[in-house]
């Protein structure tokens, strides 16, 4: 006892041999746990679709009128490069810009094929492409089955399981409506290049020379709501490559690489086309302003000339310059 306290020292020991025997006695539990863990990981890996990240670089240049000189008062100089880069970033992320891209590529139409566990995105993997008639109504979220009999003939079929009101959309006006659809299956044969006009689908199937048709293989077409499709592409990442350079880096993620590549390229092309349109509009309005100004000045000069002729006639002056010299 020291200072009113008892100090009892105890030594702790770890029986490693006994712990090892305890683990070995529970080996069935560990084996079952490993089997469940590996089976779950395998199930997720084989069924989860791969996600790709595609990026591209966009150079924003400050184009200037090649005829610009120090004596030129009218030039098509569109501000600095920094302003164009910031404007391009905002434009590429805007909804109006992405609406144009989706509309140009017709990405509201999804190509699907049957996979081992689920449907797969078959964009650019089908022996055909569809030219959608945007002036007609297309049924939404209903799979349209396409089965080729040979390289030219195919069967188009649609199954409506329940009699209900189906939703359709006109991609030209972006309007939607509800139409009663009877229960049943529609099936009809067509040929490549033949125009199809049905209450639920209107368009033309064109051959895809990059993919050979495999008779009997089913493909599916599914129309999606236009606004929802545009919203799915608003996540495109756009940022300057660095603070000094006028280069933008765009990035997009998805399950189909070809679809992502086409979208990024089309987005840049739409941006370029819009810039060219604005530039041409500026030039057109400038030319129109100059023409109107010249016309106005021509009228003013004509009025001055008439006043001079009236003055000469009133004072019987034949040669104003000679008679004026004589007077002076």
């Amino acid at each position: 006892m020291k200072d009113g306290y008892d100090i009892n020292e105890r030594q702790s020991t770890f029986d490693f041999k006994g712990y090892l025997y305890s683990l070995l006695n529970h080996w069935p539990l560990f084996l079952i746990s490993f089997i469940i863990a590996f089976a779950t990981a395998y199930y997720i890996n084989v069924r989860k679709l791969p996600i790709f990240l595609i990026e591209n670089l966009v150079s924003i240049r400050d184009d200037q009128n090649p005829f610009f000189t120090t004596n030129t008062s009218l030039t098509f100089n569109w501000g600095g490069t920094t302003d164009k880069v910031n404007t391009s970033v905002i434009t590429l992320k805007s909804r109006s810009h992405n609406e144009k891209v989706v509309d140009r590529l017709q990405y509201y139409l999804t190509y699907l094929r049957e996979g081992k566990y689920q449907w797969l995105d078959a964009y650019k993997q089908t022996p055909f492409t569809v030219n959608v008639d945007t002036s007609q109504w297309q049924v939404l979220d209903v799979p349209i089955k396409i089965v080729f009999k040979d390289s030219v003939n195919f069967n188009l079929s649609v199954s409506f399981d329940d009699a209900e009101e189906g939703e359709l959309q006109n991609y030209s006006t972006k309007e939607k409506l509800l139409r009663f659809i009877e229960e049943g299956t529609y099936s009809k044969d067509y040929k490549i290049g033949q125009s199809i006009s049905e209450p639920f689908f209107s368009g033309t199937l064109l051959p895809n020379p990059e993919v050979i048709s495999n008779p009997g293989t089913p493909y599916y077409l599914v129309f999606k709501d236009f606004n929802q499709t545009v919203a799915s592409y608003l996540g495109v990442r756009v940022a300057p490559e660095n603070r000094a350079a006028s280069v933008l880096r765009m990035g997009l993620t998805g399950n189909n690489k070809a679809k992502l590549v086409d979208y990024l390229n089309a987005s840049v092309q739409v941006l370029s086309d819009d810039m060219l349109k604005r530039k041409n509009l500026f030039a057109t309005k400038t030319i129109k302003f100059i023409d109107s100004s010249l016309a106005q000045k021509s009228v003013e000069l004509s009025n001055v000339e008439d006043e001079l002729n009236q003055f000469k006639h009133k004072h019987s002056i034949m040669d104003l310059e000679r008679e004026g010299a004589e007077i002076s």
Side-chain angles (χ1 to χ4, degrees):
M1 182 174 181
K2 186 177 181 181
D3 296 333
Y5 293 97
D6 289 333
I7 301 176
N8 298 323
E9 296 183 356
R10 296 181 180 180
Q11 295 181 353
S12 61
T13 60
F14 178 73
D15 188 2
F16 181 78
K17 188 176 181 180
Y19 177 73
L20 183 61
Y21 282 136
S22 177
L23 291 179
L24 293 177
N25 290 333
H26 294 85
W27 69 266
L29 178 62
F30 290 103
L31 180 61
I32 294 174
S33 300
F34 281 122
I35 292 175
I36 294 175
F38 284 114
T40 303
Y42 175 78
Y43 178 84
I44 294 175
N45 288 334
V46 298
R47 285 164 173 78
K48 187 176 181 180
L49 296 176
I51 299 177
F52 303 98
L53 170 62
I54 303 296
E55 294 182 336
N56 67 343
L57 297 176
V58 184
S59 177
I60 307 297
R61 294 182 299 176
D62 188 15
D63 294 334
Q64 193 177 33
N65 187 2
F67 300 104
F68 173 75
T69 63
T70 55
N71 297 326
T72 306
S73 59
L74 178 64
T75 63
F76 305 112
N77 189 5
W78 282 75
T81 304
T82 303
D83 181 66
K84 294 186 68 174
V85 170
N86 295 334
T87 302
S88 299
V89 171
I90 297 174
T91 302
L92 290 170
K93 291 182 177 181
S94 65
R95 184 178 181 87
S96 59
H97 173 82
N98 287 276
E99 285 181 356
K100 296 177 183 178
V101 180
V102 171
D103 206 12
R104 175 176 294 192
L105 296 175
Q106 295 187 348
Y107 269 13
Y108 41 77
L109 173 61
T110 304
Y111 299 82
L112 299 173
R113 62 181 176 87
E114 294 179 350
K116 186 175 181 180
Y117 301 103
Q118 56 194 338
W119 282 359
L120 304 177
D121 192 336
Y123 178 79
K124 283 196 171 180
Q125 300 174 8
T126 60
F128 63 91
T129 58
V130 180
N131 184 18
V132 181
D133 187 356
T134 57
S135 63
Q136 302 299 322
W137 298 95
Q138 316 290 346
V139 66
L140 299 180
D141 300 321
V142 176
I144 302 173
K145 188 176 182 180
I146 304 292
V147 179
F148 275 80
K149 298 181 178 181
D150 51 43
S151 59
V152 176
N153 300 286
F154 64 91
N155 177 264
L156 184 146
S157 61
V158 182
S159 297
F160 299 101
D161 298 331
D162 300 320
E164 58 182 7
E165 287 187 339
E167 191 173 26
L168 295 92
Q169 185 169 26
N170 186 306
Y171 291 107
S172 179
T173 62
K174 309 303 183 292
E175 296 177 348
K176 292 194 294 185
L177 61 79
L178 296 176
R179 180 181 296 171
F180 181 78
I181 300 176
E182 296 183 357
E183 180 181 359
T185 301
Y186 171 88
S187 179
K188 191 174 180 180
D189 294 335
Y190 293 95
K191 292 183 178 181
I192 285 287
Q194 181 180 355
S195 179
I196 303 173
S197 181
E198 300 295 341
F200 53 85
F201 169 68
S202 295
T204 305
L205 268 66
L206 303 176
N208 182 8
E210 298 180 358
V211 180
I212 300 176
S213 62
N214 187 12
T217 302
Y219 299 97
Y220 299 88
L221 306 175
V222 179
F223 286 95
K224 297 295 184 179
D225 178 74
F226 181 82
N227 293 326
Q228 293 179 1
T229 304
V230 174
S232 65
Y233 287 99
L234 293 179
V236 59
R237 295 190 292 273
V238 185
E241 181 67 9
N242 54 60
R243 294 183 178 180
S246 59
V247 177
L248 300 179
R249 179 179 292 273
M250 297 180 60
L252 191 62
T253 57
N255 304 118
N256 189 297
K257 289 189 289 185
K259 199 170 187 177
L260 300 177
V261 170
D262 286 352
Y263 190 89
L264 292 177
N265 291 336
S267 182
V268 175
Q269 186 61 46
V270 170
L271 177 65
S272 177
D273 293 344
D274 289 345
M275 285 184 173
L276 182 60
K277 287 181 181 178
R278 288 195 295 268
K279 204 168 186 179
N280 291 337
L281 181 61
F282 176 79
T284 302
K285 289 187 175 182
T286 302
I287 294 173
K288 188 178 295 185
F289 170 76
I290 294 174
D291 290 342
S292 62
S293 299
L294 290 177
Q296 183 179 359
K297 295 302 179 181
S298 177
V299 172
E300 292 178 359
L301 289 175
S302 179
N303 294 333
V304 171
E305 184 179 3
D306 292 340
E307 291 178 0
L308 179 60
N309 291 332
Q310 291 177 4
F311 177 81
K312 292 167 62 177
H313 179 73
K314 180 178 180 180
H315 296 85
S316 301
I317 298 175
M318 300 300 297
D319 190 346
L320 182 61
E321 183 177 357
R322 182 181 59 83
E323 295 183 12
E326 292 177 355
I327 295 175
S328 60

